[in-house]
Amino acid sequence: MDTADGSGPTGTEDLVLAPRLRERRRGSGLTLEAAAARLGLSAAHLSRLESGLRQPSLPVLLGLARLYGTTVSDLLGETDAEPDPIVRGARMTPVPAGGWTYWRAGGTGRAMQALRVHVPARAQRALVRVHPGEEWLYVTAGELELTLGERTHRLAVGDSAHFDSLVPHRLAAGGGDGVDLLFVHTLMQSETSGLCIGPDQATRMRGERR
């Protein structure tokens, strides 16, 4: 299923991102059709991402990173020659993706990806995610509306959540000013995982897990 990405390139990051997406896919030995199928995208949609004609959303970027065994930072050309354990906030450039904004908050080339994320009000409210691995998040500002399976939780500043990413989940801002998060997820590859799914598929998966 295609997700709601931007309609076109938004800046110089696309000059780096688009060719890297193509290089990482080819380096993984995947055809355009095979990679798109594993991500739940159409081949035409993935081709537009690799050509810089479309901007991937953050969930799609995460899915691409998992599929290719790399990180979002690497796809964006932020990989250092040697991993640096220190991340200086002043040096991290905000990256818009699918209505969200995120900043790298962890080292590159690791088994986990750490991000600072801002979710505006009403951004991606209908988008349900499911993928292998684990996620941990911590609310630093605003209120988060977190749906896990059939339950919806409201998290305030200082609240956190740690959950299995195979549980269908949805993140949305609970207030008009949006919500800020610290977000950590494991980078795991899966041939059958689709990062973003529709409500009907989420309901079906919940029934299969019972």
Side-chain angles (χ1 to χ4, degrees):
M1 183 184 76
D2 289 353
T3 58
D5 298 339
S7 59
T10 60
T12 57
E13 66 270 11
D14 297 281
L15 300 177
V16 175
L17 175 60
R20 277 183 179 267
L21 292 179
R22 185 167 52 250
E23 291 168 5
R24 296 301 181 268
R25 173 178 59 78
R26 291 174 176 173
S28 298
L30 295 172
T31 64
L32 190 70
E33 291 76 13
R38 295 183 186 184
L39 290 163
L41 304 174
S42 68
H45 186 84
L46 182 57
S47 177
R48 288 192 290 271
L49 296 180
E50 292 186 356
S51 301
L53 300 177
R54 299 274 297 195
Q55 181 192 28
S57 66
L58 176 56
V60 170
L61 276 175
L62 293 174
L64 288 163
R66 290 189 182 95
L67 180 62
Y68 301 152
T70 186
T71 65
V72 170
S73 297
D74 173 65
L75 294 179
L76 292 172
E78 298 175 352
T79 302
D80 299 323
E82 295 183 5
D84 188 345
I86 307 302
V87 179
R88 304 294 181 185
R91 299 178 185 175
M92 293 301 102
T93 303
V95 178
W100 292 11
T101 303
Y102 79 94
W103 298 256
R104 182 165 65 88
T108 60
R110 305 298 185 186
M112 297 186 299
Q113 180 85 58
L115 305 167
R116 288 192 293 123
V117 181
H118 176 72
V119 181
R122 297 178 295 279
Q124 300 185 12
R125 290 192 63 88
L127 192 60
V128 179
R129 301 172 176 82
V130 58
H131 51 87
E134 298 180 21
E135 291 187 18
W136 176 89
L137 55 86
Y138 177 89
V139 180
T140 59
E143 183 182 56
L144 174 68
E145 187 178 282
L146 172 65
T147 300
L148 296 174
E150 297 179 348
R151 295 186 60 189
T152 297
H153 311 266
R154 286 190 172 271
L155 280 68
V157 173
D159 291 343
S160 60
H162 187 179
F163 53 91
D164 184 341
S165 303
L166 284 175
V167 175
H169 51 284
R170 180 178 60 83
L171 282 68
D177 295 329
V179 61
D180 294 323
L181 309 170
L182 294 179
F183 177 85
V184 178
H185 69 96
T186 54
L187 291 171
M188 299 179 65
Q189 299 183 67
S190 172
E191 295 184 359
T192 59
S193 66
L195 184 63
C196 304
I197 65 176
D200 294 341
Q201 186 178 353
T203 301
R204 184 167 61 253
M205 289 187 64
R206 285 196 295 270
E208 293 172 351
R209 287 170 59 86
R210 290 173 180 168

